[in-house]
Amino acid sequence: MIFECLVLLIAWSVLLLPVTAAVFVLLSRFSLFHPIQWISECTSLLTASSTIFSLVVLCGVVLITGLFNLEFYTLVPSIPCSRMALLGTVLHPRQCVHSLVYCTMGMLVMWCASVTIGGRYSTLGIPCRQSESGEVVTCLNEYHLFLLLAGAFMGYSHSFLGVVQNMYYVSFQPIQQYKYPRFKGCLPMVVKCSVIQSLYSARNFAALYFFFGYAPKTWISSTLHLQIDSSLQPLDSLTGLLDFSLLYHLTISGTFLYFTWYLTVLLFRIYVTEAYSFPVQSTFTEDAEQCLPKVLAETNTLVMKFFALQDLALLSQHSLSRRLEVFCLSQPGGHPHNWNAISRECLSLLSELTQRLVAHQDAVASNGRVKSQSASSDTRSASLSSSVMSGTEDIAETPRLGVPLRTPGSVFKSSVGGVHSALTAPFTPDVDSPFSSPAIRRLVGQQEPRSPWFGTVQSPHIMRRGPKLWSASTESQSNGSPPASPVTVPSPPAASEKPSFLAQWLQNRREQVKSFLAKRVLIVYLFNKLPEASSQALFADSQVHIWALQGLSHLVAASFSEDQFGVVQTTLPNILSCLVVLLEAVDRHFKLPHASSKPARAVCRMGDSTYKTLRFALRAALKTAIYKITTTFGEHLNAVNISTEHRKRLQQFLEFKE
Amino acid sequence: MCSLGVFPAPVTAAQTLLERNNELLSALHPGEHPQTHEPLSACVSVPRFLAVGSACVLALLRWASSFHGSLFPHLTLSSDEMVAEFSQMLDWSDSALRSFAWHPHTDKFAVALLDDSIRIYKSNSSATPTLKHRCQRSVCALQWKPLCGSALAVACQSCLLIWHVDPTSLSTRPSSGCAQVLSHPGHSPITSIAWSPTGSLLVSASPVDTAMMVWDVAAESAVPLQRVGGGGVTYLSWSPDGSRLLAATPSALFRVWETRMWTCERWPCLKGSCQVRKLRKLSITVFELMYAFIYFFKLTFFSQTSWDPRGERLAVLLKGDSQAVNHPSVIAVFKTRSSPVFELLPCGFVMGEAGAEPRFMQFHPHFQHGALLTVCWSDGRISHVPFYFSSAGLLGGDSPQQALASNTADHSSNKLYTEQIS
């Protein structure tokens, strides 16, 4: 399925390439006063062999872009919790390879563009006359070099912004559309984005070249033994850069470059997010693996889970016949296997989210308590530093439930699982405490995570919690919830007086180092928590929860009239209490600082920022789901067997007071 | 129109109170008074050169778009005129009430006033929250989110506001932090909004923009759905089951979108009966027929129609002639039945106080004892006119005889089929 996607995507991008190339040629050769000459020149150029060769090169570029899209795309965005983590992601070897490849591709495209524009841009070396001797030598063509370097710069900035803006995050649209109308609808946005991005890049590159342009120029001319033509105006000067035609060509070529890449990204998104319909049940046993309940229960491929839940949400709203299949009973035996499997899977997803939220709240709450206690025993500066360094919230304590869902992933990655998560896990928010972040571990010294010295630069509150972590309740660790009781360490037992003195001394040193570090502005800047990031990270994969909520609520509401055997009624108490518990957890989460602050809206970006608002979408979907059920069942809900607090909460919904 | 002749003559002196036993009863009785506030004096001084410069640029743009404007005359209107033209409220620009919306599930409604504030009235609470926001200007439409107790969408001149008014709070001035601002360049003024019946999507339309926006409100993201023909979208309405969406354009064309894959079909809206026959051939739903009605009869004299949620009463606001003295706007109420065949039977006229003309009307979405029509009058009053009847669809209900009586009484003589109308 994914490979079909890739083939179609590359085919379409390649087919669209001549069109964009033609537009580019028309724009680059534009002359207002000689329209006929302009048109005839362009047509002859479009059929020239050099253009065909350029197109072949561009096809190669598109192919590589497509492959990179497939390799890097993710349905769950990775959200760095501090600037250090972001830096780590940018410097990650995988990302470095990506940047390198994109730089090369940028240079290739720019080379094609400069050849196509022709004139003074066409070659790197041009013949020129030396001023003293008057003989003809090969000189460096700075215009060509300028465009090539611009290509490399744009390639790198594309790759860099890809990380910062989560370019490879693929979000699902709120409505379904056919591919062609969707493409048509998005095309103006892509053109606009590429023009804007190209303008920004051109400005930045011009500034960069003005200051540092001398270095690559001399390097190239010395390695390739090209002379520098002193009669021409050098480009790294103000007068050289204020050349309108040069800037125009730079912008046009940049737009062409970005458009090629963005178009591939757009086509990829359209192909990947196309809805896929699974059969609810199959009469043949060999197809049983493809059925919706089976695919839902499957955990190893994340993509399939997304598709299955999307299909569930769609069928619950739009397809009566498939809903009836969900509600039907198995032929021998008369068990509602389909409904049981689907509802079990949805409920487990939702309760997993509830546990995640509760664990996060506990972590935040216990952090606060530990800190307030420790402030009395420690020096003021240390406690200050600890609060500065660790921020008010810390996601590190959240246990990693639902590991398969949290790894950012493509099929390949999730199939190779372990290796990948070992590679990128350091930079995903789950294990990302500011000071236990492996980046600093690397800075301080290469230490094995398992070695006894691991944790020398642990964050203060984790250290202070240390005794409790290792001595006390092992079962609370094993079941994944962080120990919530406050620490009572400051009075250690008398028997261990001596070693604890040593430990105390070590810890004091450590605190001093840390308070020293905490005063350095750069360190604080790098390790300070980005606000909202932990909240965003918690809800990073909430699209599946939203679909599960929609699917469940619509199925339950439809069951009121369509469920002939009453299969839904048996699970109704479970569903209701699960929803109410989740609602309480979500409500409490929104009371945390930064959780309910809205992110600023991005103006025009290719990167998708929907993940920033997923928590609001989840809250809205949850309330709508409960309302859907309560308005459908009305007074009948009083007959459902649920606890009194939950009934009280549901009564609020019945009276529309939520 | 010959069919109006079969109506009982309107009682001009009295205000219509309610319908009981198949008759509209009238009496002199005051309706509900919303207090209007004096308009806020928002006076922003703009430097003169800036004003002149921007006026010149605007004039240039206008001139450039005059060709487009000659194709679509509504584009030459100013923003306020356009809102007044396409608003559901009659005579929007000088009306004390700008817009009105019942909550789909509870007894509460929102009213937009002339000073651009919005008030929310609840049945069993004296607190009336007043909503004000600096972006909230020229309110053209209001709609409560279905399956939600708090969210109210407001179509303003420059943007779309989503207010989250906590139903349990006693605050009378919710802060502007409770409002989400949704805007999209080129998509203003917004004249129509429509929530999907499941409450998950919000569609907004502007007569200037050929694209209508499908908003995911919580994510604050919009998907534009563009169709060039028609020059804009003026009015939107979902079918009750959420499977279709009607989008009307300023020209003689409207579209019906199906909401699964969001494809649309164009329905040109020509004068003449062939269209009605075509509609009948398409085996259309009641929803489509109803909106077909609006758009055929808007050409003549219908201005607004409203159908009660049970589909048994149809109120039609007949727009009067502002020049003529004796031609005020009136509301005619029909009894309707959609099975076995579609029927329209006259019920009567709804009259207000002397000198007051109806400007807007809407049925209460879930009135227990029949239907409740809420009418906004030109003098700033809002009155509720109950129609007591038993639903024909619920013959096994509490009073089958009464239901039968109310629906079979005048079957014999005056049937109005759609073809007779056309």
Side-chain angles (χ1 to χ4, degrees):
Chain A
M1 202 161 99
I2 293 291
F3 283 105
E4 281 169 32
C5 255
L6 183 67
V7 171
L8 281 170
L9 152 79
I10 289 172
W12 273 110
S13 324
V14 168
L15 280 178
L16 286 171
L17 204 54
V19 182
T20 50
V23 172
F24 170 67
V25 166
L26 283 176
L27 283 177
S28 65
R29 291 281 177 111
F30 182 72
S31 65
L32 188 62
F33 303 108
H34 309 284
I36 295 166
Q37 193 193 346
W38 168 48
I39 299 286
S40 64
E41 226 175 57
C42 288
T43 40
S44 66
L45 186 65
L46 280 174
T47 48
S49 59
S50 69
T51 317
I52 305 292
F53 180 69
S54 298
L55 276 182
V56 172
V57 173
L58 288 176
C59 286
V61 168
V62 164
L63 187 75
I64 295 174
T65 319
L67 285 173
F68 265 85
N69 267 318
L70 183 67
E71 184 56 33
F72 274 76
Y73 90 98
T74 163
L75 297 172
V76 180
S78 65
I79 298 159
C81 280
S82 63
R83 289 182 182 84
M84 197 63 214
L86 187 63
L87 198 66
T89 326
V90 173
L91 297 178
H92 193 268
R94 208 172 100 112
Q95 185 57 35
C96 289
V97 171
H98 184 270
S99 307
L100 207 64
V101 171
Y102 266 82
C103 281
T104 324
M105 286 201 297
M107 284 174 85
L108 271 179
V109 175
M110 276 304 191
W111 179 79
C112 293
S114 57
V115 167
T116 317
I117 298 170
R120 59 181 184 177
Y121 302 101
S122 52
T123 49
L124 189 61
I126 45 165
C128 63
R129 201 171 288 275
Q130 262 186 338
S131 50
E132 306 99 49
S133 55
E135 58 181 309
V136 176
V137 289
T138 327
C139 287
L140 176 72
N141 182 3
E142 208 182 341
Y143 292 103
H144 189 83
L145 181 70
F146 183 76
L147 280 192
L148 284 191
L149 288 177
F153 176 78
M154 287 176 182
Y156 184 74
S157 66
H158 177 81
S159 165
F160 177 75
L161 287 179
V163 175
V164 175
Q165 300 178 357
N166 263 318
M167 183 93 70
Y168 288 109
Y169 165 60
V170 178
S171 73
F172 289 79
Q173 288 217 312
I175 60 171
Q176 299 290 309
Q177 271 180 291
Y178 288 112
K179 288 192 284 281
Y180 176 64
R182 192 171 158 202
F183 175 73
K184 217 171 60 177
C186 289
L187 202 57
M189 192 269 289
V190 170
V191 173
K192 200 171 131 193
C193 281
S194 42
V195 170
I196 289 177
Q197 194 57 48
S198 158
L199 282 171
Y200 273 122
S201 295
R203 183 198 65 185
N204 294 347
F205 178 69
L208 202 68
Y209 195 81
F210 177 72
F211 288 113
F212 304 107
Y214 183 73
K217 198 166 71 177
T218 45
W219 183 66
I220 291 280
S221 66
S222 64
T223 46
L224 296 180
H225 304 294
L226 295 170
Q227 307 288 321
I228 289 178
D229 195 348
S230 49
S231 63
L232 288 175
Q233 179 74 38
L235 276 182
D236 52 347
S237 64
L238 210 56
T239 44
L241 276 177
L242 283 178
D243 178 355
F244 177 73
S245 118
L246 176 72
L247 290 182
Y248 173 72
H249 280 128
L250 176 63
T251 318
I252 287 291
S253 324
T255 310
F256 177 63
L257 173 66
Y258 278 118
F259 186 73
T260 324
W261 283 336
Y262 286 170
L263 199 66
T264 322
V265 172
L266 173 72
L267 283 170
F268 185 78
R269 281 184 193 165
I270 291 176
Y271 274 106
V272 157
T273 56
E274 204 188 359
Y276 187 80
S277 177
F278 298 89
V280 175
Q281 58 179 1
S282 163
T283 42
F284 305 106
T285 44
E286 58 262 31
D287 296 341
E289 289 300 312
Q290 295 292 315
C291 286
L292 188 59
K294 280 273 166 8
V295 180
L296 271 179
E298 210 174 307
T299 48
N300 52 1
T301 50
L302 179 64
V303 186
M304 292 313 263
K305 193 153 196 149
F306 266 77
F307 283 135
L309 279 162
Q310 187 189 25
D311 187 39
L312 177 70
L314 288 177
L315 87 87
S316 68
Q317 289 176 48
H318 295 291
S319 170
L320 171 67
S321 58
R322 295 176 72 203
R323 277 199 301 265
L324 290 180
E325 278 183 63
V326 172
F327 297 139
C328 75
L329 302 178
S330 66
Q331 201 34 266
H335 295 287
H337 288 308
N338 293 335
W339 166 252
N340 281 349
I342 287 175
S343 63
R344 186 175 55 233
E345 198 51 44
C346 291
L347 286 182
S348 74
L349 265 178
L350 296 178
S351 53
E352 180 257 326
L353 177 67
T354 314
Q355 284 172 19
R356 204 196 290 169
L357 290 178
V358 168
H360 178 244
Q361 282 147 17
D362 287 352
V364 171
S366 59
N367 268 358
R369 246 177 298 158
V370 169
K371 237 174 275 163
S372 63
Q373 251 202 6
S374 65
S376 56
S377 62
D378 284 334
T379 59
R380 175 164 288 231
S381 70
S383 77
L384 189 73
S385 81
S386 83
S387 66
V388 167
M389 304 301 254
S390 61
T392 46
E393 48 202 319
D394 197 347
I395 201 167
E397 265 61 54
T398 351
R400 302 194 68 190
L401 304 159
V403 176
L405 267 184
R406 308 225 59 189
T407 49
S410 67
V411 228
F412 304 125
K413 279 172 247 153
S414 41
S415 58
V416 215
V419 183
H420 160 70
S421 62
L423 269 177
T424 52
F427 305 105
T428 54
D430 313 56
V431 266
D432 183 47
S433 165
F435 257 89
S436 61
S437 114
I440 189 71
R441 251 176 257 148
R442 261 182 229 144
L443 287 182
V444 169
Q446 298 288 333
Q447 287 167 356
E448 278 295 302
R450 299 290 148 90
S451 78
W453 288 101
F454 170 64
T456 35
V457 242
Q458 285 280 357
S459 91
H461 64 263
I462 288 182
M463 280 316 287
R464 257 173 269 122
R465 202 191 275 174
K468 178 192 60 179
L469 268 177
W470 288 306
S471 64
S473 62
T474 41
E475 69 273 13
S476 75
Q477 276 184 56
S478 63
N479 67 23
S481 68
S485 61
V487 203
T488 49
V489 186
S491 59
S496 56
E497 189 80 42
K498 235 180 177 178
S500 85
F501 171 75
L502 194 66
Q504 193 73 40
W505 183 80
L506 271 177
Q507 192 174 330
N508 284 344
R509 292 285 106 197
R510 216 175 291 133
E511 294 296 340
Q512 279 170 6
V513 169
K514 227 162 296 134
S515 64
F516 171 75
L517 285 178
K519 282 174 197 145
R520 304 286 92 82
V521 180
L522 180 70
I523 304 273
V524 173
Y525 176 78
L526 282 177
F527 286 93
N528 225 347
K529 283 256 166 191
L530 296 174
E532 292 182 43
S534 60
S535 208
Q536 283 173 15
L538 267 180
F539 289 94
D541 61 341
S542 276
Q543 187 63 59
V544 286
H545 303 115
I546 292 172
W547 280 327
L549 284 168
Q550 285 178 349
L552 262 188
S553 64
H554 281 102
L555 280 176
V556 170
S559 79
F560 190 69
S561 54
E562 293 168 9
D563 178 15
Q564 299 168 352
F565 308 107
V567 296
V568 175
Q569 283 176 27
T570 52
T571 37
L572 193 55
N574 270 342
I575 293 174
L576 283 174
S577 55
C578 177
L579 292 184
V580 172
V581 169
L582 179 58
L583 181 69
E584 279 163 1
V586 169
D587 278 350
R588 244 178 292 137
H589 180 82
F590 273 91
K591 292 200 177 100
L592 297 179
H594 296 302
S596 56
S597 57
K598 294 258 175 190
R601 288 182 67 194
V603 190
C604 184
R605 273 180 176 183
M606 200 54 203
D608 204 327
S609 59
T610 349
Y611 64 90
K612 290 181 183 166
T613 49
L614 267 178
R615 57 184 187 279
F616 301 104
L618 180 96
R619 184 171 62 168
L622 178 59
K623 285 195 172 174
T624 310
I626 300 179
Y627 268 123
K628 181 89 191 160
I629 296 175
T630 52
T631 45
T632 313
F633 281 81
E635 293 303 314
H636 299 287
L637 278 183
N638 294 330
V640 180
N641 182 21
I642 41 173
S643 68
T644 37
E645 307 99 81
H646 292 175
R647 193 183 299 282
K648 231 179 262 171
R649 195 74 203 261
L650 285 180
Q651 192 60 37
Q652 296 273 310
F653 277 90
L654 277 172
E655 291 164 6
F656 281 89
K657 283 188 175 162
E658 281 289 330
Chain B
M1 198 80 192
C2 62
S3 60
L4 286 180
V6 300
F7 272 78
V11 188
T12 46
Q15 185 189 1
T16 310
L17 271 190
L18 58 113
E19 179 204 321
R20 174 169 283 161
N21 296 332
N22 266 326
E23 279 182 20
L24 287 178
L25 306 179
S26 304
L28 278 169
H29 199 81
E32 191 174 333
H33 293 252
Q35 299 92 336
T36 47
H37 284 256
E38 64 272 20
L40 287 175
S41 53
C43 193
V44 183
S45 58
V46 179
R48 187 172 160 72
F49 70 93
L50 203 66
V52 172
S54 47
C56 288
V57 171
L58 272 179
L60 208 66
L61 285 176
R62 280 265 154 74
W63 175 78
S65 68
S66 66
F67 173 68
H68 196 202
S70 66
L71 288 177
F72 300 109
H74 71 276
L75 291 181
T76 55
L77 298 175
S78 79
S79 177
D80 259 350
E81 286 168 343
M82 206 179 296
V83 172
E85 171 75 22
F86 295 111
S87 167
Q88 289 291 295
M89 183 71 70
L90 285 184
D91 295 325
W92 177 86
S93 44
D94 66 340
S95 179
L97 307 169
R98 276 325 186 32
S99 191
F100 175 91
W102 272 109
H103 190 275
H105 306 286
T106 49
D107 288 334
K108 85 178 159 187
F109 61 82
V111 186
L113 304 176
L114 191 60
D115 64 344
D116 294 330
S117 65
I118 294 174
R119 301 197 141 217
I120 295 171
Y121 293 88
K122 282 174 251 182
S123 66
N124 45 12
S125 157
S126 59
T128 54
T130 308
L131 311 179
K132 281 184 183 173
H133 195 279
R134 97 197 125 72
C135 297
Q136 190 171 293
R137 264 171 292 148
S138 303
V139 177
C140 185
L142 295 173
Q143 201 177 13
W144 291 91
K145 180 180 176 182
L147 297 180
C148 183
S150 59
L152 171 72
V154 182
C156 309
Q157 192 174 42
S158 59
C159 61
L160 197 59
L161 283 176
I162 313 289
W163 281 97
H164 296 273
V165 189
D166 186 3
T168 50
S169 111
L170 295 170
S171 144
T172 52
R173 276 297 300 272
S175 77
S176 57
C178 301
Q180 263 176 290
V181 182
L182 307 177
S183 64
H184 196 272
H187 192 69
S188 67
I190 297 170
T191 57
S192 186
I193 44 177
W195 286 97
S196 70
T198 53
S200 53
L201 298 173
L202 174 70
V203 190
S204 69
S206 164
V208 182
D209 196 359
T210 50
M212 58 181 201
M213 296 287 157
V214 182
W215 293 92
D216 182 355
V217 170
E220 299 192 2
S221 64
V223 181
L225 291 174
Q226 188 141 25
R227 292 292 183 277
V228 178
V233 184
T234 54
Y235 181 70
L236 295 166
S237 174
W238 287 78
S239 68
D241 64 345
S243 64
R244 308 285 171 94
L245 174 75
L246 177 121
T249 65
S251 39
L253 169 79
F254 64 97
R255 294 194 178 81
V256 176
W257 293 81
E258 64 73 31
T259 58
R260 196 181 137 71
M261 294 307 285
W262 291 90
T263 53
C264 68
E265 51 187 63
R266 291 157 62 109
W267 289 21
C269 173
L270 303 170
K271 292 172 192 169
S273 60
C274 60
Q275 287 301 311
V276 176
R277 238 173 270 133
K278 186 178 163 199
L279 298 185
R280 290 169 66 83
K281 249 188 267 170
L282 287 169
S283 74
I284 46 169
T285 62
V286 171
F287 152 77
E288 286 159 19
L289 181 71
M290 174 177 150
Y291 288 106
F293 262 98
I294 301 175
Y295 279 88
F296 296 128
F297 295 113
K298 187 154 191 182
L299 298 172
T300 54
F301 61 91
F302 281 59
S303 159
Q304 231 185 75
T305 55
S306 176
W307 214 330
D308 88 304
R310 304 188 192 190
E312 305 221 358
R313 292 290 181 278
L314 175 72
V316 180
L317 210 166
L318 308 173
K319 192 176 182 180
D321 190 349
S322 53
Q323 266 77 46
V325 181
N326 244 343
H327 276 275
S329 303
V330 284
I331 294 175
V333 180
F334 296 86
K335 296 170 188 170
T336 58
R337 236 162 57 147
S338 52
S339 69
V341 282
F342 185 75
E343 293 178 358
L344 273 178
L345 308 168
C347 181
F349 291 103
V350 174
M351 305 299 292
E353 293 201 334
E357 288 188 24
R359 290 283 165 85
F360 183 83
M361 60 183 186
Q362 191 175 37
F363 274 104
H364 188 284
H366 53 94
F367 188 60
Q368 300 280 321
H369 315 286
L372 178 70
L373 182 70
T374 304
V375 186
C376 301
W377 301 95
S378 56
D379 56 357
R381 285 165 195 273
I382 295 174
S383 67
H384 306 286
V385 184
F387 296 78
Y388 292 106
F389 60 88
S390 297
S391 177
L394 305 167
L395 281 184
D398 40 5
S399 61
Q401 280 82 23
Q402 200 185 341
L404 273 177
S406 73
N407 277 285
T408 51
D410 36 14
H411 254 204
S412 50
S413 54
N414 299 321
K415 277 187 184 171
L416 285 177
Y417 288 101
T418 52
E419 278 173 347
Q420 282 176 329
I421 290 170
S422 63

